[in-house]
Amino acid sequence: MTATPRTRSPWWRRLGLLALLLALGGGLAYLDQRNERAPAPAPSDPAGEPDYFLEDARMTRFDEQGRAYQRLDTPRMVHTPADDVIRAEKPHGYLIDDDQREWQITGDQGRLADNGNLLTLEGNARLVQPTKAWSLETQTLHYDNRSAHAWSDTSSVLRQHNQTMRGDRFDAWINQNRMRLTDNVQGRLPQQSEDQGS
């Protein structure tokens, strides 16, 4: 039996096959990288880089006896450690007074500072009293939970049923169920009919 000699493939065929494999591997790697999602950018704030942010968040604060006294719901909450401030978008919250009534607060932007003791609402800020059905509308509303005092130094409109009053300053002490409207106060009180008189 005679052996037939093996013929070697020319070197250029081997080199072509190697180039083809390298091109195929590079193309697959490129396609794989294109399908990866780029990470979302970290939220930024003028006060610096946040250390955390929460989405669809609810924050509830409790006193020493374990009773809730403040609740805040927001679609987005950001904390910046440089100034130790929590900023909230479109916050909707409740301030709970000593009688466990829930005073509603809302605004376009919220800011919780001073170790969580000072809440400031900016833009379309509202405060609603739970039992006497009055509501306050203003541009900026502050609330200090240590004194349970809410106030506004911007023009404020107070509504109760069909009565409306306007003033340049508003104060409310929720634990005392007391409020006042001062400075340039104007009001609209509908006239009562004679049979509703004294």
Side-chain angles (χ1 to χ4, degrees):
M1 192 187 257
T2 60
T4 56
R6 258 191 181 170
T7 58
R8 290 188 121 187
S9 62
W11 63 269
W12 54 271
R13 283 188 185 174
R14 286 189 214 157
L15 188 60
L17 184 58
L18 179 64
L20 180 65
L21 286 174
L22 287 174
L24 182 62
L28 288 175
Y30 173 75
L31 289 175
D32 188 45
Q33 287 178 354
R34 278 188 34 194
N35 289 335
E36 286 183 16
R37 285 189 190 183
S44 62
D45 191 272
E49 186 173 329
D51 57 348
Y52 67 84
F53 71 95
L54 303 170
E55 293 181 341
D56 295 324
R58 170 176 285 177
M59 180 177 73
T60 304
R61 301 187 72 209
F62 298 91
D63 62 16
E64 294 83 15
Q65 290 77 33
R67 293 179 305 217
Y69 66 88
Q70 188 176 20
R71 191 174 87 220
L72 199 63
D73 298 331
T74 176
R76 186 175 177 90
M77 181 182 292
V78 176
H79 178 260
T80 50
D83 55 3
D84 193 23
V85 170
I86 295 174
R87 290 167 177 81
E89 294 177 5
K90 300 213 176 293
H92 184 129
Y94 298 89
L95 309 173
I96 302 167
D97 66 18
D98 288 344
D99 295 327
Q100 298 302 301
R101 293 173 301 190
E102 294 184 342
W103 297 59
Q104 282 191 60
I105 53 170
T106 57
D108 293 340
Q109 300 291 325
R111 182 181 149 98
L112 199 55
D114 189 21
N115 201 22
N117 290 313
L118 181 61
L119 174 64
T120 303
L121 299 175
E122 296 278 347
N124 299 312
R126 292 193 68 198
L127 174 67
V128 178
Q129 199 273 0
T131 56
K132 296 191 179 173
W134 61 255
S135 67
L136 171 83
E137 298 165 11
T138 188
Q139 198 56 32
T140 304
L141 180 67
H142 307 277
Y143 178 71
D144 185 342
N145 76 38
R146 292 167 294 204
S147 56
H149 177 213
W151 75 94
S152 176
D153 293 322
T154 57
S155 180
S156 303
V157 176
L158 183 65
R159 300 181 197 281
Q160 184 177 31
H161 307 298
N162 56 354
Q163 301 174 0
T164 304
M165 299 190 77
R166 180 181 309 271
D168 292 340
R169 179 167 172 90
F170 170 82
D171 291 276
W173 295 267
I174 69 169
N175 286 334
Q176 300 169 18
N177 200 22
R178 180 170 64 99
M179 72 87 186
R180 79 176 169 210
L181 194 61
T182 56
D183 300 338
N184 196 25
V185 176
Q186 302 170 8
R188 186 182 77 74
L189 305 172
Q191 289 183 340
Q192 294 182 353
S193 61
E194 290 182 15
D195 45 330
Q196 289 180 332
S198 60

